[in-house]
Amino acid sequence: MFKALDQLASTGEEISVSSVARAAGVHRSLIHRHGDLHAAVIARAGQPPPGTTAGAQVSRKSLLADVANLTARNGRLSAHITRLERRLSEALGQTAWEASGLGAPADIETLTRRATELEQQNLDLRGELAERDEDLEAARAANRELMAQVNR
């Protein structure tokens, strides 16, 4: 196993669990089951290939960090898109509801004010009706007295 790892490192090929297992002729689960083999593969994958000049190199750890960051960013963007789609759906639904005539009128404040005025007018009319009922009752009582005096 270590021979295959050294051979891949010397030829400058990519070092990963799959490539080492392929070169050694074993299944990659063998490497994953043995912690020392897995650690050796990961450690060797992080080293620059032999014979390379010092310069801007990308390590396995930096690539994994980039993948993790991009995955997290993708998740955030997906959640943001879902929120935007929900808001758009609600806005379109509200617009269609109002356009169909099923929705509440746009000027609810005017309707509320008008309802308050009508309630006050109703109270005033009930008061006037009560006064007229009292006047009518008084007129009937006076009429009964007069009829009683005439009949005596």
Side-chain angles (χ1 to χ4, degrees), residues 52-107:
T52 57
T53 60
Q57 298 226 351
V58 179
S59 69
R60 177 173 167 74
K61 288 182 181 180
S62 69
L63 290 175
L64 289 174
D66 285 346
V67 168
N69 288 334
L70 291 173
T71 301
R73 184 172 189 265
N74 190 21
R76 288 190 306 272
L77 288 174
S78 178
H80 184 65
I81 288 170
T82 301
R83 285 191 304 271
L84 290 175
E85 286 173 344
R86 188 177 312 118
R87 284 178 47 197
L88 177 63
S89 176
E90 289 171 0
L92 288 173
Q94 182 69 26
T95 302
W97 190 53
E98 289 172 359
S100 68
L102 297 174
D107 197 6

Side-chain angles (χ1 to χ4, degrees), residues 103-150:
D107 197 6
I108 293 178
E109 182 180 334
T110 303
L111 290 175
T112 305
R113 191 176 334 117
R114 180 69 178 142
T116 304
E117 290 171 4
L118 290 173
E119 287 172 358
Q120 185 61 43
Q121 184 181 4
N122 191 11
L123 289 174
D124 293 343
L125 289 173
R126 285 179 190 255
E128 287 178 22
L129 182 60
E131 288 177 17
R132 288 184 183 175
D133 285 344
E134 289 173 5
D135 290 344
L136 180 61
E137 189 59 39
R140 285 182 178 159
N143 191 15
R144 280 192 294 269
E145 273 184 39
L146 289 175
M147 289 305 281
Q149 285 177 4
V150 169

Side-chain angles (χ1 to χ4, degrees), residues 14 16-26 28 31:
E14 175 193 7
S16 67
V17 172
S18 296
S19 64
V20 173
R22 204 172 21 256
V26 297
R28 66 179 180 266
I31 296 172

